[in-house]
């Protein structure tokens, strides 16, 4: 009688993680576009037909999810590369004097040639030949500047104004009134991370802001998009709680699953991290470094997801949980869209770089930016050592705090009340009130973090790749 | 665990669960001896599931204690769960897991070897007609199928105590009969069955001990014969139930 034998915490984590992985694999395995048809009522091994009353869930959705995953993995690399290249270009531009007009390098070369040609015009004694010579070079300059104004794809009126501005600057200052525009390269390479001190630092800070956008996507996406747990009447975790395993082992397994079996991280975030290390010149070593950085970020996100899920499940009613899950789904999706928009939209990319340039340098030493310091090409050994030490501390502290916090939250039971009474039978009104006040504070702070109302409206307009940008035309016409 | 006749396997003393001013379970006192089939009856919202959740350590009592085999259900919940097989009212499994995978996982969480798990489940699966669905995903299961699967998982480690929350909810008559046979066979093998139910005839047919809860309080407790004698003078369990549950606030039958 009673043949249950105790199992270790590590074995518990192993079994639960294995089960979660099996579930993910089953999801993919079930996504077959067609199945080998069997004669009705006969299975391959001769056993009787399976029960048929309850229809199997649609497999089409799973097939679609595989396609979407593959597509997103490709997109992860593509958008990550575009984002890094545009950030690099924008960061390189921060050292250029604002008085100079950025134009392409070939235009600068042409203007320098024209300038020299105009200086040589005095060598002509025949005024007719001189006028002819100057006229030829004037036409050349007209063509150059018209091409430059035209490539900005402004409205007809703005283009004329821009052309006039270019002419005025050239007539006044010559080629010295222009500066070469940093052109985005085609693919990420070791040249992507700017090496000059100021652009180097701005690029690092810009990356840290983008990574800060990835974290809400991973955390809210895990809790909202990739998890139907919060909205369920019964919590899956209650099932695990009925097994003879300690609460700490169960929470550790939850943390492990959140950290390492989250497809969102593997599909979206890993490509981005690998590309960051490629851009800082690590070559093929970028792959293990990207993986290590992903492990670090995943553990941080997993720890936050674990304690957040336990706290929400503990304090909120089912209706509130469903609303929260919907909110998380929206927040996760918006974060992803912002990341994508920052890659595609130049104004949003420029906005992030401008914010990063104004950001105090010490803010880079936050838990979510430390792996980037390891990738910094100009990082000193002491900086790398300090960052590595801090990462080691954080990677131990976050999960430990999450486990201790989850245990503390469930010190009087896994749930306050089960089933339909979940969250409606409360004993801690003060805690609920504090949580509400805190949520309102977060909402207020988030709202304040959306500054410069002039900047953001341009982002949606340019998200789809459209070059129509009212902000751009306004700012340039202001120079006239 | 060494079962000795007339010793208590489940001891509940002054068990209370309150949510603010609302008391879901109030001062519950119960003992269940080894080898008994014990039914916890009561109308909806009587506190049966809350009591069972406290026995499983999922909910912490506000006052009093619940012990299984001398172990505190909340403080020693890991050890308690090794001794208990639990069938919840609404079994929840991770979706997109096959029946075989769920059973294997349940067994492995109890430290059983795969061969052991297969040997133990074979007969049960046949009895509950689950053999054909071994490779189906639990997400496609009906409520009754989930219940049967949860029962198999609860019995895998051969526990001394089976706690069944509304075990026949969602089961067809064949499965209900199979479940009754399983309960009787387990009781005959010296195991203790603690179950909650709404079905009075089921309790009448199976149980050696009955407790009736109403509005969080224990309204009556004893064998069917004792209840008949004490409360209504030889009437059916249905009449006993209505008379006790209908007047629970006064605490009759104690």
């Amino acid at each position: 009688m009673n043949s249950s034998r105790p199992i270790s915490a590590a074995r518990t984590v192993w079994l639960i993680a294995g089960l979660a992985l099996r579930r993910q694999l089953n999801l993919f395995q079930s996504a077959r576009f067609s199945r080998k048809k069997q004669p009705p009522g006969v299975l391959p091994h001769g056993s009787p037909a399976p029960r048929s009353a309850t229809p199997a869930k649609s497999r089409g959705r799973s097939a679609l999810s595989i396609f979407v995953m593959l597509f997103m993995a490709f997109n992860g690399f593509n958008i990550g590369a575009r984002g890094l290249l545009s950030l690099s270009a924008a960061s390189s531009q921060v050292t250029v004097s604002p008085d100079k007009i950025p134009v392409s390098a070939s235009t600068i070369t042409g203007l320098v040639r024209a300038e020299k040609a105009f200086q040589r015009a005095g060598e002509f004694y025949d005024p007719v030949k001189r006028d002819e010579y100057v006229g030829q070079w004037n036409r050349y300059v007209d063509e150059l500047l018209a091409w430059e104004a035209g490539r900005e794809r402004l409205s007809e009126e703005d283009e004329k104004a821009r052309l006039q501005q270019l002419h005025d600057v050239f007539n006044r200052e010559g080629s010295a009134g222009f500066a070469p525009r940093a052109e985005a390269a085609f693919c990420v390479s070791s040249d992507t991370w700017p090496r000059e001190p100021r652009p180097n630092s701005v690029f690092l800070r810009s990356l840290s802001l983008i990574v800060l956008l990835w974290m809400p996507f991973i955390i809210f996406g895990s809790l909202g998009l990739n998890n139907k747990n919060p909205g369920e009447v019964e919590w899956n975790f209650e099932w695990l709680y009925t097994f003879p395993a300690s609460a700490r082992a169960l929470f550790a397994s939850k943390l492990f699953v959140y950290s390492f079996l989250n497809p969102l991280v593997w599909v979206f975030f890993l490509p981005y991290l690998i590309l960051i290390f490629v851009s800082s010149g690590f070559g093929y070593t970028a792959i293990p470094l990207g993986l290590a950085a992903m492990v670090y970020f995943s553990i941080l996100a997993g720890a936050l997801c674990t304690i957040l899920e336990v706290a929400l499940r503990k304090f909120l009613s089912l209706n509130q949980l469903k609303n929260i899950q919907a909110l998380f789904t929206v927040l996760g999706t918006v974060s992803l869209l912002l990341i994508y928009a920052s890659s595609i939209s130049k104004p949003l990319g420029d906005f992030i770089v401008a914010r990063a340039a104004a950001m105090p340098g010490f803010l880079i030493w936050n838990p979510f930016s430390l792996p980037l310091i390891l990738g910094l090409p100009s990082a000193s050994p002491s900086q790398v050592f300090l960052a590595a030490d801090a990462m080691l501390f954080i990677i131990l502290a976050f999960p430990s705090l999450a486990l201790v916090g989850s245990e503390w939250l469930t010190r009087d039971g896994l749930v306050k009340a089960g089933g339909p009474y979940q969250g409606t039978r409360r004993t801690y009104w003060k805690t609920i009130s504090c949580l509400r006040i805190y949520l309102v504070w977060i909402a207020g702070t988030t709202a304040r973090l959306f500054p410069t109302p002039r900047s953001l409206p341009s982002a949606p307009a340019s998200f789809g790749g459209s070059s129509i940008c009212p902000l751009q035309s306004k700012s340039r016409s202001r120079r006239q | 665990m060494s079962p000795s006749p007339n010793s208590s396997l489940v001891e509940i003393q002054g068990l209370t669960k309150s949510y603010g001013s609302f008391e879901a379970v109030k001062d519950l006192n119960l003992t269940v001896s080894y080898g008994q089939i014990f039914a916890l009856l009561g109308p909806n919202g009587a506190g049966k599931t809350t009591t069972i959740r406290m026995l499983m350590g999922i909910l912490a009592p506000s006052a009093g204690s619940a012990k299984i085999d001398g172990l505190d259900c909340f403080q020693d919940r890991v050890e308690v769960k090794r001794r208990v097989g639990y069938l919840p009212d609404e079994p929840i499994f991770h979706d997109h897991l096959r029946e075989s995978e769920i059973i294997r996982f349940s067994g492995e969480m109890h430290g059983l070897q795969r061969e052991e798990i297969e040997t133990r489940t074979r007969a049960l699966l046949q009895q509950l007609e689950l053999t054909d669905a071994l490779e189906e995903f639990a997400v496609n299961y009906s409520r009754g199928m989930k219940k049967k699967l949860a029962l198999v998982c609860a019995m895998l480690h051969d526990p001394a105590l089976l706690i069944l929350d509304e075990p026949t909810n969602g089961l067809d008559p064949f499965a209900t009969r199979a479940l009754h046979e399983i309960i009787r066979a387990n009781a005959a093998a010296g195991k203790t069955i603690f179950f909650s139910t709404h079905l009075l005839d089921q309790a009448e047919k199976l149980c050696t001990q009955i407790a009736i809860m109403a509005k969080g309080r224990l309204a009556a407790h004893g064998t069917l014969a004792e209840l008949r004698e004490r409360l209504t003078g030889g009437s059916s369990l249905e009449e006993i139930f209505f008379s006790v549950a209908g007047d629970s606030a006064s605490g009759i039958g104690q």
Side-chain angles (χ1 to χ4, degrees):
Chain A
M1 195 182 276
N2 186 24
S3 48
S4 177
R5 290 182 282 272
I7 58 170
S8 66
R11 173 87 176 141
T12 305
V13 174
W14 174 258
L15 287 174
I16 293 175
L19 193 77
L21 181 64
R22 168 51 57 195
R23 180 179 159 267
Q24 294 279 357
L25 291 175
N26 282 347
L27 263 169
F28 292 118
Q29 210 177 2
S30 65
R32 288 177 190 158
F33 292 96
S34 63
R35 297 194 103 188
K36 195 178 175 182
K37 284 184 182 172
Q38 300 290 343
V42 179
L43 286 178
H45 46 281
S47 59
R51 49 184 281 283
S52 56
T54 309
K57 296 283 182 286
S58 165
R59 292 170 192 277
R61 205 165 40 184
S62 302
L64 183 67
S65 68
I66 280 195
F67 172 74
V68 169
M69 288 291 238
L70 288 174
F71 182 71
M72 288 299 171
F74 171 73
N75 255 2
F77 270 106
N78 190 22
I79 298 291
R82 288 194 66 174
L84 284 176
L85 291 169
S86 67
L87 269 191
S88 170
S91 302
S92 301
Q93 212 62 53
V94 292
T95 49
V96 174
S97 164
D99 301 332
K100 294 191 177 188
I101 296 179
V103 290
S104 68
S106 61
T107 303
I108 294 270
T109 312
L111 290 176
V112 170
R113 279 179 63 204
E115 199 173 22
K116 285 178 182 170
F118 286 132
Q119 284 165 1
R120 282 199 304 271
E123 294 169 11
F124 287 90
Y125 294 109
D126 184 354
V128 178
K129 280 190 178 176
R130 188 173 61 223
D131 287 349
E132 194 182 333
Y133 177 79
V134 169
Q136 275 177 350
W137 280 104
N138 269 334
R139 279 195 297 280
Y140 175 70
V141 170
D142 283 347
E143 280 171 19
L144 267 182
L145 298 182
W147 176 78
E148 196 62 50
R151 71 183 293 219
E152 290 178 16
R153 295 181 192 173
L154 305 173
S155 66
E156 197 176 338
E157 195 181 329
D158 285 341
E159 192 178 320
K160 276 183 186 171
R162 180 69 168 162
L163 185 59
Q164 188 58 50
Q165 184 197 16
L166 294 173
H167 272 295
D168 290 347
V169 170
F170 184 69
N171 293 338
R172 197 170 58 241
E173 301 175 43
S175 62
F178 299 90
R181 178 191 289 127
E183 302 285 348
F186 181 70
C187 62
V188 174
S189 68
S190 56
D191 296 330
T192 304
W193 195 310
R195 295 299 196 269
E196 293 162 38
R198 176 74 177 147
N200 181 337
S201 163
V202 170
F203 186 67
L204 174 68
R205 292 177 211 188
S206 309
L207 280 182
S208 75
L209 287 181
I210 298 283
V211 168
L212 278 181
L213 273 178
W214 277 102
M215 294 318 287
F217 164 64
I218 294 169
I219 293 167
F220 294 133
S222 301
L223 289 167
L225 286 165
N226 193 36
N227 186 353
K228 60 177 189 175
N229 238 338
E232 281 180 346
V233 176
E234 297 286 339
W235 194 13
N236 275 349
F237 198 65
E238 277 186 46
W239 176 49
L240 299 179
Y241 213 72
T242 61
F243 291 108
S246 67
R248 184 168 297 183
L250 293 175
F251 287 127
S253 62
K254 182 169 265 299
L255 196 152
F256 186 90
V257 170
Y258 264 132
S259 301
F260 299 112
L261 299 177
N262 182 356
L264 297 176
V265 173
W266 289 92
V267 168
F268 290 99
F269 197 36
L270 178 62
Y272 193 75
L273 291 171
I274 290 174
L275 286 172
I276 286 178
F277 286 101
V278 168
S279 75
S280 56
F282 280 99
Y284 287 109
T285 325
I287 296 171
L289 280 173
L291 268 170
M294 189 204 77
V295 166
Y296 172 81
F297 284 119
S298 298
I299 290 177
L300 257 62
L304 291 171
C305 284
T306 303
I307 194 150
L308 206 55
E309 185 189 317
V310 174
L312 291 173
R313 194 79 207 186
K314 190 82 185 178
F315 294 120
L316 300 184
S317 71
L318 286 171
N319 278 340
Q320 289 168 324
L321 280 169
K322 281 176 185 165
N323 290 337
I324 283 278
Q325 189 188 15
L327 177 70
F328 283 175
T329 304
V330 170
L331 287 175
T333 310
V334 166
S335 302
L336 182 65
L337 288 176
L338 277 175
I339 293 163
Y340 273 30
S342 71
S343 304
I344 295 168
S345 158
K346 190 175 181 316
L348 189 58
D350 288 347
F351 170 78
I352 288 171
V353 169
R355 287 276 143 195
M359 194 172 97
F362 68 87
L363 285 182
I364 206 72
W365 290 90
N366 72 72
F368 300 104
S369 304
L370 290 173
L372 302 175
I373 293 174
L374 297 184
L376 186 66
S378 60
S380 64
S382 61
Q383 278 179 318
V384 171
F385 185 71
L386 192 61
D389 277 358
M391 281 172 68
L392 193 65
F393 171 74
I394 285 166
I395 212 170
L396 293 173
F398 263 66
S400 307
L401 285 174
L403 294 184
V404 171
S406 299
E407 279 186 86
W408 182 79
L409 284 169
T410 54
R411 67 196 181 285
D412 57 352
L414 184 66
V415 289
K416 281 272 181 281
Y421 302 112
Q422 160 75 42
T424 55
R425 288 173 172 176
R426 295 169 185 154
T427 51
Y428 298 111
W429 280 104
K430 280 183 184 173
T431 317
I432 300 290
S433 306
C434 288
L435 188 69
R436 277 184 184 159
I437 291 166
Y438 187 58
L439 286 173
V440 169
W441 178 79
I442 288 175
T445 312
T446 312
R448 279 202 300 279
L449 281 175
F450 280 91
T452 55
R454 281 178 302 161
S455 311
L456 276 181
S458 63
S462 50
F463 176 65
S466 164
S467 58
I468 300 164
C469 178
L471 177 73
Q472 234 177 9
S473 57
K474 206 185 264 181
S475 63
R476 277 170 188 159
S477 55
R478 221 181 282 136
R479 281 186 187 159
Q480 272 184 286
Chain B
M1 197 184 302
S2 52
S4 57
N6 301 322
S7 61
S8 297
L9 176 63
V10 181
E11 286 176 87
I12 298 174
Q13 286 183 340
L15 194 69
T16 301
K17 181 69 193 177
S18 48
Y19 302 97
S21 58
F22 174 74
E23 285 177 324
V25 176
K26 170 71 177 167
D27 196 26
L28 186 66
N29 291 292
L30 275 178
T31 52
V32 182
S33 303
Y34 284 94
Q36 280 190 349
I37 303 178
F38 182 92
L40 192 60
L41 304 179
N44 292 332
K48 304 185 296 290
T49 299
T50 303
T51 304
I52 286 179
R53 279 167 173 257
M54 283 192 278
L55 286 174
M56 288 307 296
I58 296 171
L59 286 173
S62 307
S65 69
K67 287 182 179 176
I68 291 176
D69 199 27
L71 298 163
D72 187 277
C73 289
F74 192 71
Q75 301 299 330
D76 309 311
R77 53 184 179 271
V78 176
E79 275 305 305
V80 165
K81 283 166 198 168
R82 291 184 50 224
R83 290 157 165 79
V84 177
Y86 172 53
L87 171 68
D89 183 20
E90 288 280 353
I92 300 288
F93 302 110
H94 287 283
D95 55 0
H96 287 95
L97 282 176
R98 294 182 174 86
E99 181 187 298
S100 55
E101 290 160 351
I102 291 169
I103 292 172
R104 193 185 307 145
F105 170 76
S106 301
E108 285 176 339
M109 285 295 282
H110 282 284
L112 303 179
Q113 299 298 318
R114 289 193 178 184
E115 298 75 32
E116 226 176 333
I117 297 166
E118 276 175 30
T119 315
R120 281 164 190 264
T121 51
R122 202 170 295 134
L124 259 179
L125 289 173
Q126 274 178 352
Q127 197 174 356
L128 290 168
E129 295 180 340
L130 280 174
T131 315
D132 299 337
L134 264 175
E135 294 308 312
E136 266 194 69
F137 291 136
V139 71
N140 294 324
Y141 276 20
S142 63
R143 190 184 181 196
M145 296 275 285
K146 282 184 183 169
K147 206 107 189 183
K148 289 193 275 185
L149 175 56
L151 182 66
V152 173
C153 294
M155 295 175 66
L156 261 177
H157 57 291
D158 201 17
L161 172 65
L162 272 174
I163 296 181
L164 314 174
D165 194 358
E166 308 281 358
T168 50
N169 262 8
L171 293 188
D172 61 41
F174 295 106
T176 304
R177 190 166 67 181
L179 178 80
H180 287 175
E181 284 166 13
I182 289 168
I183 288 176
R184 284 196 191 101
N186 274 282
K191 288 172 191 163
T192 309
I193 320 289
F194 182 110
F195 73 95
S196 71
T197 185
H198 288 115
L199 305 174
L200 303 176
D201 61 324
Q202 187 180 49
E204 207 161 7
K205 267 192 252 175
L206 290 171
C207 296
T208 50
Q209 285 276 327
I210 292 168
I212 301 174
M213 283 184 80
K215 294 184 179 172
R217 291 165 188 270
L218 182 67
H221 179 208
T223 61
L224 183 58
E226 283 169 359
L227 292 179
R228 275 180 182 149
E229 195 178 326
R230 203 184 328 152
L231 295 168
T232 52
S235 60
S236 69
L237 180 59
E238 191 176 0
E239 285 171 35
I240 295 169
F241 180 81
F242 284 122
S243 74
V244 168
D247 194 18
S248 61
S250 59
I252 60 166
Q254 297 290 329

